[in-house]
Amino acid sequence: MRNQPRKTLAVIGAGPKGIAIAVKAKVLEEFGFPVDRVVLIEKNNVAAHWSGEFGYTNGEMKLGTSPEKDVVFPLETDVGDPVLNQRVRQRLLQFTWISFLVDTAQYSDWVDRGRPAPCHLFWADYLRWVSVQLGPQISIVTGHVIEADLNSQGNQWELKLKDSKPSIFADRLMLTGPGQTRLNFIRDTSKTLPPQCYDLESFWSAIKNKTLNPVGKLAVIGAGENAASALLALSQYAVNMPVDVISPKGFISTRAESFYENQIYSQPDRNRWMTLDPKDRIDFIERTDLGVFSVHAMSLLNEQARHQIIPGRVTDLTTTLQGLEIQIEYAGQKTQRQYDHVVIASGFDQTATLKKLLSPRALRRVELALGEELTTSNLMASIERDLSVKNVTPSLHLPMLAGLSQGPGFANLSCLGRLSDRVVIPAEKIVSQSVRIVEQAL
Ligand SMILES: Cc1cc2nc3c(=O)[nH]c(=O)nc-3n(C[C@H](O)[C@H](O)[C@H](O)COP(=O)(O)OP(=O)(O)OC[C@H]3O[C@@H](n4cnc5c(N)ncnc54)[C@H](O)[C@@H]3O)c2cc1C
């Protein structure tokens, strides 16, 4: 069926996005579609960031998105033939959250409990349940990618692994994961953070290992879901500790979660996302995703009297004899505040993560394609329909930065099935192959 050598799509990370790609590639391959060989490369283990073992959560926090927005949602894979579509979707149904509950004898209880949001660890259990069904088509390689370089001909990615493990070569590369915590307000980010200052990985380890001394005053920088998760964890860990929340807008608000907002995440094309004014797209993402607390987190935090909101953007963080000093700017005014502990929950910096990962010549290749320096806004503006960066060869897929250009759900968990449709195989190839599969079946 295939005349050309098979290509490889390497995905760094076996979290929800990597698993969603793997499921789609597996199922399409089962049906005979000419998909690339998919290799997931994972430095820890499947769903590491959700289990509580490797930072980002303690595993007990509630999943914000509905679990029915699982790795195949919204189950609208279109291979260009109605009969095949139905068969492919039936097969994909076997990887849903509901199938997991049925298979593990938890379905009836979950429904009777009112379909509660699962905690992150339960979500990790689901992802791991999916991952054990991926063979033989998909391989998950244990390895820590330390550099994404180009091969000697410059037409493939060479992914260099830690501990002198052999490199992995791929024709396409997709990055997943939130990336490193945004630290651009700290003057010297090459230095490690002071001991009482935590990013989103070290905070959760400190809570888990009880190394955060619950004495003194603490500031959480940021007013989004990560800040909310940190506040919830602190409400159990350090019951009496006063906590300031440094919020750029001077308030915290809940996420807009109506049908009209949710469906834009699931159906960006139907809602003509790409034709909306970029200013309105940014406004939408800010109301519904970034810089807002979930209704659930807010209702729990409402009951606490020890939080104070401090308006402003942190512009510097230094260590003093008294502890940590942060400089805050708001409405043209600069103020300083002292804290004993600071949690930096101001979001993630995908661009810094990418720059760190790319070899100098791979970075030059990307910047040549962009026609300018690699910045977050340049990258976000050049993400194409298949979630890759325009004109970059070999292809580089960055779904975490695809929200603005392609649809807000591609950056998170809102439409993993659609994300994998876009990445796994180009539409024109799949339709022509459908015609062949249908003809062979007649
Ligand atoms: C605590 C928390 C809760 C969240 N809750 C929600 C939610 O409810 N709904 C929602 O839509 N979004 C949520 N998000 C946003 C979330 O980041 C993304 O939606 C999610 O991470 C997407 O999954 P992923 O597969 O891209 O990343 P991840 O699940 O983060 O997986 C990335 C994987 O890559 C591995 N890895 C990283 N670097 C390397 C490397 N160099 N080499 C090899 N492996 C590597 C990691 O070990 C990890 O397993 C949440 C984020 C956090 C941090």
Side-chain angles (χ1 to χ4, degrees), residues 252-257 287-288 291-299:
I252 49 178
S253 52
T254 42
R255 179 184 301 153
E257 287 181 5
R287 267 174 59 79
T288 57
V292 280
F293 285 14
S294 66
V295 175
H296 172 76
M298 190 69 105
S299 71

Side-chain angles (χ1 to χ4, degrees), residues 11-20 40-50 54-59 61-66 69 118 120 123 127 141-147 160-162 174-179 200-201 204 225-226 229 255 265 289 294 348 350 353 357 399-400 408-416 419:
V11 180
I12 302 183
K17 291 200 172 83
I19 298 291
L40 306 187
I41 311 165
E42 171 56 56
K43 67 177 174 181
N44 298 313
N45 51 34
V46 172
H49 287 169
W50 301 88
F54 298 97
Y56 299 101
T57 174
N58 56 3
M61 297 291 134
K62 294 277 185 185
L63 188 69
T65 323
S66 154
K69 291 202 168 189
H120 290 159
W123 179 244
L127 296 170
V141 175
T142 304
H144 183 167
V145 180
I146 48 171
E147 188 175 63
K160 297 183 177 163
L161 303 186
K162 203 172 162 181
M174 178 169 128
L175 257 55
T176 68
L200 290 164
E201 273 181 278
W204 292 101
E225 198 58 21
N226 288 302
S229 295
R255 179 184 301 153
Y265 280 85
D289 192 14
S294 66
F348 297 101
Q350 286 288 321
T353 312
L357 189 70
M400 300 299 275
F410 294 119
N412 44 58
L413 307 180
S414 301
C415 59
L416 293 166
L419 180 153

